Amino acid sequence: MNEDYLNFIERIFIKYARINTRSDENSNSIPTTKGQIELAKLVEKDLKKIGVKNIVYDERDGYLVATLPANTDIDSRPIGFIAHLDTADFPADNIHPQVHPVYDGRDVVLNKASNVVMRVSDFPNLKNYKGQRLITTDGTTLLGADDKAGIAAAVTAIKFLLEHPDVEHGAVSFAFGPDEEIGLGAKRFDVEKFKVDFAFTLDNGLPGQLENETFNAAQAKIFIKGTAVHPGNAYGLMINAITLANRLVAALPAEEVPERSQNRNGFFLVTSFSATIAAANLNVIIRDFDKNAFINKKKLLKKIVDQLNSEFDEPKIFMETKDQYHNIADAIQQQPYITDLVLQAYSRLGLETVVHPFRGGTDGNALTEKGIPTPNLFNSGENFHGPYEFVTTQGMLLVAKTIITILEEHYSNSKETAKNLNATEKSRN
């Protein structure tokens, strides 16, 4: 892929990044914000411009799906690639991407007026991008590389495939969906229009990473009903919801929190806490890779609530717990070809492969539960969800190359399988 593709991917990424697509968990709209529709329509326009014929935008789930038919007679399982339209809960108005054409490996001044500097001492990975075209924020917003880098890479890969029909491949579909950051988009996705056997998300991660395992996840919403009376007359009467809430949090395992867990360790996290003497509201998320450990964490939280409630004649703490998503590992392990295919492509590209569990969730969780095994690849960005987010043009182009290489390897494998089947059939005859 030459300089033209490098310029193309940079241009469309910056165009996409400028659109505020921050999702809103308090909205009942689909998608939850209008900016996501604006971006989906813009991507649709760009896809039509480069010659894609089969494009569907569905207002019911907010998904844009583009499909390229097979350009070969070899029977090959259809593959999908997915990138999400929304950005995280961080300021996203008036995004001004800044391009540093030949990054020199030193500290980057993002906003001179506000003295916002991205320092190599704080972000040592910056040194890995010396000489590349670095794209950053202006220090006041996020950039949106999560996941507009994935979108730009997918569009660029499609452009390359259409301009190079000699690259043989089976049917491939690309989905661009909303509300991934709040865990809603893929749950609503009508996969009937996404006719693939397996897929890959192009989400957070560095080149060579493959995330074929995710957390199991649950959320507990807790309400505590207190009794507020004058403190001078409180003896035997006051029930302080703040005190109960603090006791509940203190009863959680001190070591099982995000800041003290890594690798395959799970955690509890109190994500919000608001309280008065009369009432308290807490939100607690539960994460673990191991299914039994995940179940035990939910049981422990219930036990803590039950023990506190046992001190009163009637319950004062009310909890509603729901599972958010489940580990994709079992489904992926049942189809080892999916992982093997990625490893083949990475090897061909000369990437150092890192297969590891993803300490979070992706659209792949919901898709896997819907019968489409979907591990995560990478989008080449770093420092997501904040003002120090960045990506390089070369990194995004590598994502596009990875998509194409996976398709080439899959075609080659399918061709070899067909050849072996024919040989076996001939030997029987």
Side-chain angles (χ1 to χ4, degrees):
M1 302 179 85
N2 58 25
E3 187 76 13
D4 289 341
Y5 289 103
L6 204 65
N7 293 330
F8 175 80
I9 201 168
E10 183 177 290
R11 185 171 67 252
I12 62 171
F13 169 76
I14 290 173
K15 180 170 62 174
Y16 299 159
R18 288 192 173 117
I19 302 173
N20 181 353
T21 59
R22 183 178 180 177
S23 47
D24 180 4
E25 63 181 353
N26 296 314
S27 168
N28 293 319
S29 301
I30 302 176
T32 59
T33 53
K34 292 181 180 179
Q36 296 181 75
I37 300 174
E38 181 183 352
L39 178 56
K41 293 294 186 180
L42 181 57
V43 173
E44 180 181 26
K45 181 179 178 181
D46 286 344
L47 290 172
K48 287 180 177 178
K49 190 181 299 184
I50 62 178
V52 182
K53 304 297 183 184
N54 188 349
I55 309 174
V56 176
Y57 177 72
D58 193 335
E59 294 181 353
R60 295 170 300 174
D61 59 18
Y63 266 82
L64 175 71
V65 176
T67 300
L68 301 183
N71 62 2
T72 171
D73 293 333
I74 296 294
D75 187 22
S76 183
R77 297 168 65 191
I79 298 181
F81 294 91
I82 303 134
H84 64 86
L85 300 161
D86 65 322
T87 57
D89 190 20
F90 193 84
D93 284 318
N94 301 313
I95 296 175
H96 298 290
Q98 299 186 103
V99 180
H100 311 266
V102 184
Y103 172 55
D104 60 10
R106 296 186 292 183
D107 294 351
V108 182
V109 177
L110 301 179
N111 194 307
K112 188 175 181 180
S114 301
N115 194 31
V116 181
V117 181
M118 184 160 59
R119 303 185 188 282
V120 175
S121 58
D122 295 328
F123 305 104
N125 279 4
L126 275 168
K127 294 179 180 178
N128 299 332
Y129 303 97
K130 185 176 181 179
Q132 296 190 33
R133 282 151 67 168
L134 184 73
I135 306 175
T136 69
T137 75
D138 67 355
T140 64
T141 67
L142 50 62
L143 178 63
D146 176 17
D147 189 26
K148 291 166 187 174
I151 297 173
V155 173
T156 303
I158 293 169
K159 175 179 170 66
F160 182 89
L161 291 168
L162 291 174
E163 293 176 349
H164 295 80
D166 55 307
V167 177
E168 295 179 296
H169 60 83
V172 54
S173 293
F174 296 84
F176 307 92
D179 297 324
E180 188 271 350
E181 297 291 356
I182 55 176
L184 292 177
K187 291 179 180 178
R188 296 166 170 165
F189 187 19
D190 179 5
V191 294
E192 287 300 313
K193 57 179 172 286
F194 192 57
K195 297 186 181 302
V196 302
D197 281 6
F198 57 94
F200 303 97
T201 48
L202 307 169
D203 212 334
N204 300 358
L206 298 175
Q209 289 185 351
L210 170 63
E211 295 162 334
N212 55 8
E213 186 173 2
T214 63
F215 274 137
N216 294 292
Q219 178 186 49
K221 292 186 176 181
I222 301 170
F223 171 71
I224 302 176
K225 181 181 178 182
T227 301
V229 296
H230 190 286
N233 302 315
Y235 183 79
L237 297 175
M238 179 184 286
I239 298 174
N240 192 331
I242 300 172
T243 302
L244 278 177
N246 283 328
R247 288 177 62 192
L248 189 155
V249 173
L252 295 171
E255 295 299 316
E256 296 183 31
V257 291
E259 59 267 36
R260 296 184 181 180
S261 63
Q262 59 181 333
N263 302 324
R264 294 183 56 82
N265 298 321
F267 58 78
F268 295 91
L269 175 63
V270 180
T271 61
S272 64
F273 183 127
S274 61
T276 64
I277 293 173
N281 287 279
L282 294 83
N283 191 73
V284 181
I285 62 172
I286 304 165
R287 301 288 188 265
D288 212 298
F289 290 101
D290 183 83
K291 184 177 181 179
N292 290 330
F294 175 62
I295 292 171
N296 288 336
K297 278 183 168 59
K298 290 189 289 183
K299 288 181 177 178
L300 175 60
L301 183 56
K302 184 178 184 303
K303 182 180 178 181
I304 292 169
V305 169
D306 289 344
Q307 286 176 338
L308 289 171
N309 272 331
S310 69
E311 299 176 8
F312 306 97
D313 294 333
E314 59 182 24
K316 297 297 178 183
I317 305 176
F318 305 90
M319 180 172 71
E320 179 183 335
T321 304
K322 66 176 181 179
D323 285 3
Q324 296 171 299
Y325 55 83
H326 297 103
N327 195 340
I328 64 175
D330 289 345
I332 304 300
Q333 289 168 3
Q334 289 172 17
Q335 297 197 44
Y337 175 74
I338 298 172
T339 297
D340 292 343
L341 174 61
V342 176
L343 297 183
Q344 288 173 2
Y346 284 0
S347 175
R348 181 173 154 190
L349 289 165
L351 298 177
E352 181 179 348
T353 301
V354 180
V355 181
H356 67 112
F358 178 46
R359 292 182 60 81
T362 70
D363 281 340
N365 292 92
L367 291 172
T368 299
E369 289 193 12
K370 292 183 180 187
I372 303 173
T374 307
N376 183 57
L377 301 180
F378 61 93
N379 65 14
S380 290
E382 293 209 45
N383 300 345
F384 302 110
H385 298 191
Y388 301 105
E389 187 179 8
F390 70 84
V391 71
T392 68
T393 307
Q394 288 86 347
M396 289 189 291
L397 197 64
L398 180 56
V399 181
K401 289 179 181 178
T402 300
I403 294 169
I404 294 161
T405 305
I406 286 174
L407 292 173
E408 289 177 328
E409 290 296 309
H410 184 49
Y411 167 75
S412 178
N413 294 337
S414 301
K415 187 176 181 180
E416 186 65 24
T417 299
K419 179 181 176 181
N420 292 337
L421 286 173
N422 289 336
T424 301
E425 190 65 29
K426 287 180 180 179
S427 66
R428 288 175 179 173
N429 296 333

